[in-house]
Amino acid sequence: MKFDFDSQYFNIEQTLDCGQIFRFFKTDDGFTVYSAGHICRLIEGKGKITLISDDSDYFFNFFDLGRDYAPIIEQATAFDIPLLKKAAQQYKGLRLLNQDKEEMIYSFLISQNNNIPRIKSIISNICRGLGTKCRFENEEYFAFPTTSQMVAGEISFFKSCGAGYRDSYLFETSHEILKNGIAHLQKLSTPELKKALMSYKGVGGKVADCISLFGFSRHDSFPVDTWIEKVYREDFGGTLENREKISEFFQNTFKDISGYVQQYLFYGKRQEL
DNA sequence: TACCAGGACGTGC
DNA sequence: GCACGTCATGGT
């Protein structure tokens, strides 16, 4: 199925390259994106983006296409922080994705003390090893493994994928989710959700915030990693040392647009804006 | 060689 | 509760 969208507030590269998603790649005429067991292609045209997918409803929600970003950018720009003003104006097309919850849990388990190219590579290896083989328009690809597929992976398998010492995190957390599911997490408040996510092996405060933001669409979450800590010191003149407290500072400042601001700042800092 | 990357865990206090 | 050492792996 094929649809066109106005690209004023939808920039493919900004949306895919800002660190919220690990399964996509560039093609000759655009990008291919994977999410859970779904696939889509994005092609940039004049003032529009063409989306070709196996499930248009899924990707309408995935790319958050029902949301008006103009007021978010307006609010973000109102703060007197040069980096944020620049980033929010320049990255008007950066959209926060609504991603698969379990895919986010397993993906961000791998992210800790790691870099984005390696995270992508490890996830790709895991999909190839455990995911269902699918086909879309003559392209073969592997879905992200479901939890019942993840538990088929031994610790040695995850290590062979490049996960390093995070192999046991993937093993133990997938078994825990197989046992109890994640349905009960939905109804929790954002602070309760964070605490619940942190009970998984390998999930600390920062990873919990990422899962909360990207998987559960909790836009009042503010993940603090090494880059955001750098932003905090250099662009906000902050002096706190504890990352949990830095996250609270940002949450108290940006409230319900925390997640958007966090992405503008993270991407802006990495692009040396 | 040492340091860094979307940090978290275990131990000791 | 907090500080500190340690944990694979590949790139610079």
Side-chain angles (χ1 to χ4, degrees), chain A residues 13 35 39 59 87 118 130-131 147 172 174 210 219 226 264 273:
Chain A
E13 198 162 351
S35 172
I39 179 172
F59 283 104
R118 280 201 72 236
L130 299 177
T147 292
E172 291 193 29
S174 60
C210 283
H219 301 138
T226 55
Y264 297 143
L273 199 64

Side-chain angles (χ1 to χ4, degrees), chain A residues 31 63 68 89 123 136 138 149 154 187-188 205:
Chain A
F31 289 84
F63 287 109
D68 181 9
Q89 281 166 7
I123 291 173
F136 180 69
N138 289 329
Q149 290 174 317
E154 301 293 338
K187 58 178 182 293
L188 301 178

Side-chain angles (χ1 to χ4, degrees), chain A residues 61-127:
Chain A
N61 175 64
F62 181 83
F63 287 109
D64 204 27
L65 293 169
R67 189 184 309 276
D68 181 9
Y69 275 66
I72 297 168
I73 291 157
E74 191 180 339
Q75 286 181 62
T77 309
F79 287 92
D80 197 22
I81 305 290
L83 174 64
L84 180 54
K85 278 188 190 294
K86 267 192 285 184
Q89 281 166 7
Q90 191 159 329
Y91 305 146
K92 279 191 307 189
L94 193 167
R95 307 185 73 84
L96 270 181
L97 302 176
N98 300 120
Q99 301 192 66
D100 180 79
K101 296 175 178 57
E102 294 178 38
E103 178 169 345
M104 290 299 94
I105 293 172
Y106 300 128
S107 296
F108 279 94
L109 276 178
I110 298 164
S111 74
Q112 67 122 321
N113 201 27
N114 212 339
N115 58 62
I116 292 175
R118 280 201 72 236
I119 298 165
K120 283 184 177 171
S121 154
I122 295 163
I123 291 173
S124 170
N125 292 338
I126 292 173
C127 292

